[in-house]
Amino acid sequence: MTVHLGAYGKVVSKTLRRLDAERVVPRIWDHDHTVWRPDPDGIIDRLGWLDLPSTMREEESAITAFAEEMRRAGFRYVVLFGMGGSSLAAEVLRQTCAPSDHPLKLIVLDSTIPRAVRETEAAIDPAHTLFIVSSKSGTTIEPNVLYRHFRQLVDGEVGKERAGDRFVAITDSGTPLERLAQHEGFRRVFTPPSDVGGRYSALSHFGLLPAALAGADIRSLLDRSASMASRCITESLAKENPGALLGAAMGALTREGRDKLTLIASPPVAAFGMWVDQLIAESTGKDGMGIVPIVNEPLTATENYGDDRLFVYLRVEGDGDKEVNEAMNDLRDHGHPVIVITLGDSQDLGGEFFRWEFATAVASSILSVHPFDQPNVQASKEQTLEVLDEIESADELPKTDPTGSIEDLLRQARTGDYLAIMVYVRPTPATERALADLRRDVMERYKIATTFGYGPRLLHSTGQLHKRGPNTGLSLQIVSDDHVDVSIPGRGYSFGALATAQAVGDFRTLQRLGRRVIRVNAKSIAGLD
């Protein structure tokens, strides 16, 4: 890791000395909750992630053997139902570490948008598909209703007696999902360590089981994570600890007003950003504080970046991206703090999962925030249920009419603000290109940072930051007039109704909390429909 902090070097050095003086790093390893809060509740039972690089080695052979068993059983597809921490690491590893020619194709379905559900149906053969229902609590609404829909589909294909054998659960011991799996004849239930929170669970079964099924070398990932963990525990000085150094820079620079952590990644590991997005936003975004992760933002001229940025360049050795290298040098020469992390190959992401978890824990200590809770994620779930009750009572969907224009919203932009684009449409390459163009235009015209996330995924990740982080976000919700719908067996609402309820609930919550938010229709943005 190469650190170019310029004028901020003294600030970070002072922070590192304080970490050493207060013995923050050894206290973290000792599971000392007072690093973050005097009260141990919600902390002492969430520090199991520190031990995953070693404890999961004991599970590696069983996970690998199960993946091989599924390949030999004739499965050709694996579909994962999950949200947030139960799906993002799996999606990262699918895109970065899974061989493209592996006989099992992994699909991560973390959307309630009806077209996304239909497209997954069309992409698989249900009789030769293994479905993973992934939820730490076992009560998450999205994977539960996706299970109901696809279970009915598989029942019709292979018969109710054989259908359960096509399903696997990943959940904590004793959850409703575990009981459901036992009652409905799931092939297997995997129970990760219960003292690991969702967004810190990448190196547990939540990330490693789907990755192994997709052909990733999880032994190598665990080896790299163990190597990083040893470097984060054995160094006596925080400045020589790769996790503490990154965390000190994140926390100290946020206190100096550079709270927009802008992650720029080489194409082979670009997907890592979606996991970092949740980790940082949900861990630090509370109590009016928060580090705003900026991922997959288009590069633009140096003059379009404000003085609220910390740049982290995650590159793969030898990637030869001359444009990005020159851009990083130019940003550094203009006084922006730049950190460069060089990976040998994509397998080094095993170490990066741990480094960023440790760094986020350290940064949270510096910012005096509780990194392991997510109060507004639960509030969003409750708001969704409230809107669903309205839908069932009125037998009609709430209105999702536009409430303003993008220009009206952006006229409110102040120095240090950012535009949060929240898109309730199915993920497609065309959508990504259209919104990349929008982000670039906003950066060039208004000189503010931009974020982008798909709903309802964002409710389980960046939604915490939008609602309880600093009130510097300009929230742009984009909805679609998609008239395709899909029913949910045993529920009084459809996938279309659920997606609408999630968008409406999120919008109402942002309004109630005094956040600047508007809703527009996808048709009003070039390239979207």
Side-chain angles (χ1 to χ4, degrees):
M1 183 166 67
T2 307
V3 180
H4 306 281
L5 298 176
Y8 296 93
K10 291 182 179 179
V11 174
V12 176
S13 293
K14 182 179 179 181
T15 300
L16 288 166
R17 289 195 296 272
R18 182 170 72 80
L19 293 177
D20 285 333
E22 297 177 1
R23 300 188 70 254
V24 168
V25 169
R27 286 165 59 206
I28 289 175
W29 282 103
D30 287 342
H31 293 203
D32 182 353
H33 61 88
T34 62
V35 170
W36 302 282
R37 285 285 191 274
D39 185 350
D41 288 351
I43 298 178
I44 200 68
D45 60 349
R46 286 291 178 270
L47 294 173
W49 58 273
L50 288 162
D51 306 314
L52 287 177
S54 58
T55 58
M56 286 305 296
R57 281 182 167 184
E58 301 171 8
E59 301 290 331
E60 180 269 328
S61 59
I63 292 172
T64 302
F66 180 78
E68 177 61 17
E69 178 189 339
M70 295 304 95
R71 187 188 68 80
R72 291 182 176 180
F75 289 108
R76 298 202 298 270
Y77 306 92
V78 178
V79 176
L80 170 67
F81 309 138
M83 298 300 296
S86 298
S87 63
L88 287 172
E91 178 64 9
V92 169
L93 293 171
R94 181 192 72 81
Q95 293 190 34
T96 58
C97 296
S100 59
D101 60 350
H102 190 68
L104 276 173
K105 178 182 179 182
L106 174 63
I107 298 171
V108 176
L109 180 56
D110 60 353
S111 177
T112 56
I113 303 298
R115 282 192 186 274
V117 178
R118 287 294 188 212
E119 287 177 358
T120 300
E121 284 183 38
I124 64 172
D125 171 4
H128 294 90
T129 300
L130 183 71
F131 298 89
I132 304 174
V133 188
S134 184
S135 169
K136 176 177 173 60
S137 68
T139 61
T140 309
I141 189 171
E142 296 92 344
N144 286 347
V145 297
L146 286 166
Y147 164 67
R148 283 295 164 206
H149 174 76
F150 282 90
R151 178 59 188 253
Q152 184 180 68
L153 186 66
V154 176
D155 283 351
E157 287 282 331
V158 303
K160 291 184 179 181
E161 297 78 13
R162 299 172 56 206
D165 210 37
R166 268 79 175 168
F167 291 86
V168 169
I170 307 175
T171 188
D172 280 5
S173 180
T175 66
L177 175 55
E178 183 184 40
R179 293 192 292 273
L180 173 77
Q182 293 167 347
H183 182 262
E184 302 203 359
F186 280 30
R187 178 184 285 263
R188 282 283 295 274
V189 177
F190 292 88
T191 52
S194 61
D195 59 352
V196 179
R199 59 187 173 278
Y200 290 81
S201 65
L203 295 169
S204 76
H205 297 82
F206 286 109
L208 297 182
L209 176 65
L213 286 162
D217 182 353
I218 65 170
R219 176 175 295 179
S220 175
L221 289 167
L222 285 169
D223 286 346
R224 310 288 177 97
S225 71
S227 175
M228 179 62 71
S230 69
R231 294 171 61 197
C232 289
I233 191 174
T234 58
E235 301 293 358
S236 58
L237 298 175
K239 69 179 180 180
E240 297 170 359
N241 179 313
L245 178 55
L246 177 59
M250 290 164 57
L253 267 66
T254 292
R255 288 204 172 277
E256 293 293 311
R258 287 190 176 265
D259 65 339
K260 312 299 189 304
L261 190 153
T262 305
L263 179 67
I264 298 169
S266 293
V269 293
F272 186 68
M274 71 175 74
W275 177 83
V276 169
D277 204 26
Q278 181 199 17
L279 174 71
I280 293 176
E282 203 170 78
S283 296
T284 69
K286 57 205 73 170
D287 304 327
M289 180 61 73
I291 301 171
V292 182
I294 310 294
V295 302
N296 297 324
E297 190 180 55
L299 275 176
T300 184
T302 299
E303 60 266 24
N304 295 324
Y305 295 106
D307 293 335
D308 55 351
R309 304 264 194 162
L310 162 63
F311 292 90
V312 180
Y313 178 25
L314 189 68
R315 62 182 295 271
V316 176
E317 190 170 12
D319 68 0
D321 197 328
K322 183 179 179 181
E323 178 188 1
V324 179
N325 291 330
E326 289 178 352
M328 293 300 102
N329 290 336
D330 195 44
L331 288 164
R332 182 193 63 200
D333 293 344
H334 281 79
H336 290 285
V338 176
I339 295 174
V340 180
I341 298 173
T342 302
L343 310 183
D345 55 36
S346 60
Q347 293 296 119
D348 276 346
L349 289 182
E352 291 308 304
F353 282 127
F354 191 88
R355 185 209 302 262
W356 285 84
E357 288 170 349
F358 199 87
T360 301
V362 170
S364 297
S365 174
I366 295 167
L367 299 174
S368 299
V369 298
H370 184 331
F372 307 115
D373 68 349
Q374 52 280 330
N376 283 88
V377 173
Q378 181 58 37
S380 292
K381 295 177 183 179
E382 293 169 358
Q383 184 65 56
T384 295
L385 294 175
E386 182 179 310
V387 180
L388 285 173
D389 287 342
E390 294 177 17
I391 291 172
E392 291 189 87
S393 298
D395 198 27
E396 63 179 5
L397 296 179
K399 293 187 180 299
T400 55
D401 296 334
T403 63
S405 70
I406 299 177
E407 291 74 18
D408 291 338
L409 180 67
L410 290 170
R411 272 194 285 269
Q412 303 175 54
R414 303 181 296 254
T415 300
D417 282 349
Y418 68 99
L419 176 67
I421 306 171
M422 305 176 292
V423 192
Y424 283 81
V425 302
R426 74 193 192 282
T428 66
T431 296
E432 310 250 338
R433 288 192 297 269
L435 293 175
D437 290 342
L438 174 61
R439 296 176 77 177
R440 185 180 294 105
D441 290 346
V442 169
M443 294 164 66
E444 292 175 353
R445 182 173 176 185
Y446 296 93
K447 317 301 184 191
I448 62 173
T450 65
T451 69
F452 160 52
Y454 286 107
R457 174 194 292 170
L458 63 89
L459 300 179
H460 299 261
S461 57
T462 53
Q464 174 67 43
L465 175 74
H466 297 157
K467 298 176 181 69
R468 288 298 184 186
N471 195 0
T472 53
L474 300 166
S475 296
L476 171 63
Q477 187 182 87
I478 303 173
V479 296
S480 173
D481 289 333
D482 189 344
H483 296 297
V484 172
D485 207 349
V486 180
S487 62
I488 302 173
R491 302 292 176 110
Y493 52 86
S494 63
F495 277 103
L498 176 56
T500 298
Q502 291 174 308
V504 169
D506 194 34
F507 188 88
R508 289 179 183 176
T509 302
L510 289 165
Q511 281 187 317
R512 189 176 66 249
L513 293 171
R515 304 287 161 142
R516 293 165 289 173
V517 57
I518 67 162
R519 179 194 298 126
V520 301
N521 193 280
K523 291 186 293 187
S524 67
I525 298 175
L528 297 184
D529 55 23

